[in-house]
Amino acid sequence: RDAPKKRALPLHIQFHIQRFATLNMMVMSGLTINLVWNPEDGFNNPWGLYSAATTAFVILVMMKLFIFDVDYIDETEHAIRRSRLTALSWLMFYPISMGSISLMGAGVGLLVADMGQVATMSVNVNFAQMLTCLSMAVFLLYASIQRNLHCIPYVKALKRNNECARADMLVSIHHMQSAIQAASGCFVASLPYLQVSSLCVLVWMAAILIFLVA
């Protein structure tokens, strides 16, 4: 506790990255379970059920790609290596992101049940849409913050090779992507106020995630 800053032990980056990756997979599996409905529950609208479930599956796949495959961050450029402030911020923001994914999964399951008109339960459509959309909005906003805690990939390497113009362009693209991601979160948060169907909400969510992944 009393060790000077230059002699303090750093955070174990491999431990934290692997731990949060494992927790993310557990949360994603929970989202998958929320999409599974017992056929014996009875559905009055099979077309709505299958359409919503298919769209929800697309959302699940796009979430996996968005979380694990879109941004590659080398350990040397990770927030944990950047500074103590970015390291602690990353550690605090990550659980919020995982919690929002879990809540979004519960909301998506309710929207699928609403579209299928499940006979064994009554779905509060407004609550389900608010839960799903606000959870996804929080996830996108916090993910936008998190990606800016890391060093921007390849910028240091480009500057070392005196390619400052390309490095500046990469920084501009990175900030533009973050802004688009945050704006997408704000748009998703507005969907419950547009008086659209649950299937429309799911389609918009899937389309936004496909756009962000692409």
Side-chain angles (χ1 to χ4, degrees):
R1 183 180 61 183
D2 298 325
K5 183 177 180 180
K6 64 180 180 180
R7 296 173 56 190
L9 293 176
L11 292 171
H12 195 300
I13 186 169
Q14 290 87 0
F15 168 78
H16 286 94
I17 291 176
Q18 293 174 6
R19 182 184 67 173
F20 282 122
T22 302
L23 290 174
N24 255 324
M25 292 303 297
M26 294 172 64
V27 172
M28 294 292 288
S29 65
L31 194 156
T32 306
I33 293 173
N34 286 327
L35 303 182
V36 179
W37 286 93
N38 188 344
E40 296 180 357
D41 289 340
F43 293 92
N44 299 319
N45 186 0
W47 182 89
L49 171 67
Y50 297 138
S51 300
T54 301
T55 309
F57 178 75
V58 173
I59 291 173
L60 174 64
V61 174
M62 290 301 107
M63 286 289 292
K64 184 270 174 189
L65 295 176
F66 183 84
I67 294 171
F68 294 103
D69 301 320
V70 170
D71 286 331
Y72 170 75
I73 302 297
D74 189 77
E75 289 185 3
T76 58
E77 298 174 328
H78 198 278
I80 291 179
R81 287 286 182 266
R82 188 176 181 183
S83 70
R84 287 190 173 187
L85 178 60
T86 57
L88 293 176
S89 300
W90 183 81
L91 290 173
M92 289 188 295
F93 286 153
Y94 217 108
I96 297 175
S97 298
M98 289 190 294
S100 63
I101 295 172
S102 181
L103 292 174
M104 187 178 76
V108 168
L110 291 175
L111 295 181
V112 173
D114 173 57
M115 287 306 302
Q117 298 179 9
V118 60
T120 57
M121 62 181 293
S122 176
V123 178
N124 186 324
V125 179
N126 185 60
F127 170 77
Q129 290 189 5
M130 290 289 290
L131 175 65
T132 309
C133 294
L134 292 182
S135 298
M136 182 175 175
V138 169
F139 167 75
L140 290 176
L141 291 173
Y142 273 92
S144 179
I145 295 173
Q146 280 180 289
R147 76 193 304 263
N148 283 284
L149 294 176
H150 308 293
C151 294
I152 301 175
Y154 310 116
V155 169
K156 289 182 178 180
L158 289 172
K159 289 184 176 180
R160 281 197 300 267
N161 293 324
N162 295 321
E163 298 187 43
C164 296
R166 295 180 63 186
D168 293 340
M169 181 180 67
L170 196 59
V171 171
S172 299
I173 293 173
H174 181 86
H175 291 324
M176 181 181 67
Q177 290 174 333
S178 299
I180 292 174
Q181 189 171 305
S184 299
C186 295
F187 175 75
V188 171
S190 69
L191 288 177
Y193 303 99
L194 300 180
Q195 303 298 319
V196 295
S197 67
S198 297
L199 179 60
C200 186
V201 170
L202 292 173
V203 169
W204 269 112
M205 290 172 60
I208 287 172
L209 287 171
I210 291 172
F211 171 75
L212 293 176
V213 168

